[in-house]
Amino acid sequence: SGTIEIKGLQKVYESKKSRFEALRDIDLTIGENEFLTIVGPSGCGKSTLLRMVAGLDEPSGGSLQVDGEEIIGPGADRGMVFQGYTLFPWLTVRENIEYGLKLKGVSILERRKISNYFLKVIRLESFDKSYPKQLSGGMKQRVAIARALANRPRVLLMDEPFGALDAQTKLEMQEMLLEVWEKEKTTVLFITHDIDEAIFLSQRIVVMGAGPGRILKEFRVELPEG
Ligand code: ADP
Ligand code: ADP
């Protein structure tokens, strides 16, 4: 599971005074367990597209489905990680990771098992009782990824998650994300304006352009033999 199907997607931002066509005729299918990156300049509509897949914004036309079901609002089947560190500051690292599980009514014992596993995956076992403000930017994003994955989402939606990090931390995070993706087998839709990042992360890359936001082309990156 984890197939995303986008057909004829349109988005127009309208107010009394203005009308802005942000996306026109977006057609895109993302397969099960695929890691797809959308790259394009700032303002071409990447975040708008991702927000609609997340269910945080409504399309003006077209259809958006996950595993054949029309997307209506946010849901636990879609985990999200954004650039701003969106951790709950009043919760510890472990409590942040367990947050969604607690909402779902998962037992303490089961929650512990799952958070232990993800603390290990993101290599922050010894920070389980720390609060977000005690962590570096890279560490916070690792927790955000663990929190999103703890719910076992069918798809992971990422909007420039490493945009605020320095080059070295960014590379470590990208490597960790690929490692987690290979282990967890989840569909990833990643957006960035950074083509190097897109090429490093994905074998399939979709290029968007502005005026109105649309898909310009798509290409595949070959892995070296062996
Ligand atoms: P990107 O993520 O590629 O930088 P965005 O999706 O954030 O692009 O924005 C695409 C375009 O839509 C931009 O011109 C932006 O100003 C406009 N836009 C985004 N959100 C809104 C909104 N809520 N109301 C009006 N215009 C918006
Ligand atoms: P990003 O490029 O990361 O999407 P933006 O600065 O474009 O960030 O958007 C941040 C927020 O501001 C979003 O919620 C977006 O919907 C809103 N926004 C962006 N452009 C406009 C706009 N022209 N009018 C109203 N809201 C906007």
Side-chain angles (χ1 to χ4, degrees):
S1 69
T3 303
I4 303 172
E5 207 164 348
I6 301 170
K7 277 190 202 152
L9 190 70
Q10 318 272 352
K11 181 64 183 179
V12 179
Y13 288 111
E14 273 184 301
S15 68
K16 285 196 192 87
K17 287 179 290 194
S18 65
R19 182 180 192 280
F20 180 79
E21 189 180 9
L23 295 174
R24 181 187 291 179
D25 288 332
I26 305 282
D27 288 307
L28 184 63
T29 299
I30 305 160
E32 200 172 329
N33 303 338
E34 188 168 31
F35 193 129
L36 181 127
T37 299
I38 298 179
V39 69
S42 185
C44 72
K46 303 182 299 296
S47 296
T48 295
L49 176 61
L50 204 79
R51 275 202 305 273
M52 289 193 287
V53 178
L56 298 173
D57 203 349
E58 219 182 331
S60 310
S63 105
L64 268 172
Q65 299 185 334
V66 174
D67 294 329
E69 277 184 50
E70 203 66 24
I71 292 171
I72 312 162
D77 60 328
R78 282 152 289 142
M80 286 176 273
V81 183
F82 298 110
Q83 177 173 338
Y85 312 114
T86 47
L87 300 176
F88 301 115
W90 58 88
L91 298 180
T92 64
V93 164
R94 184 189 292 278
E95 288 164 348
N96 264 283
I97 295 173
E98 293 184 0
Y99 183 81
L101 299 168
K102 202 170 168 183
L103 280 186
K104 271 199 293 192
V106 176
S107 73
I108 296 181
L109 221 65
E110 187 62 20
R111 264 166 21 217
R112 281 297 122 110
K113 233 167 65 188
I114 297 170
S115 57
N116 281 341
Y117 170 76
F118 281 104
L119 281 164
K120 203 162 144 192
V121 168
I122 61 170
R123 297 185 207 97
L124 288 180
E125 292 110 310
S126 55
F127 289 85
D128 62 329
K129 293 188 186 69
S130 301
Y131 284 88
K133 66 170 184 289
Q134 298 169 290
L135 307 178
S136 70
M139 288 158 103
K140 282 189 263 202
Q141 281 310 63
R142 278 189 268 165
V143 178
I145 292 169
R147 188 181 57 179
L149 290 173
N151 289 310
R152 303 272 171 197
R154 288 189 266 190
V155 307
L156 185 59
L157 306 172
M158 308 185 88
D159 187 346
E160 303 259 5
F162 311 141
L165 305 176
D166 64 83
Q168 178 59 35
T169 309
K170 192 172 187 167
L171 182 62
E172 287 168 18
M173 296 292 296
Q174 290 165 340
E175 283 169 342
M176 194 217 73
L177 176 61
L178 289 180
E179 213 180 288
V180 173
W181 170 65
E182 266 154 34
K183 247 191 255 174
E184 294 304 306
K185 288 289 167 238
T186 178
T187 305
V188 180
L189 176 53
F190 190 104
I191 68 177
T192 179
H193 64 269
D194 178 356
I195 185 70
D196 290 344
E197 177 164 53
I199 291 171
F200 183 80
L201 289 173
S202 287
Q203 274 162 274
R204 184 175 167 216
I205 298 172
V206 166
V207 182
M208 278 181 66
R214 63 210 188 283
I215 293 174
L216 298 178
K217 56 178 75 175
E218 132 164 18
F219 62 94
R220 282 188 178 275
V221 180
E222 300 291 331
L223 289 176
E225 295 283 323

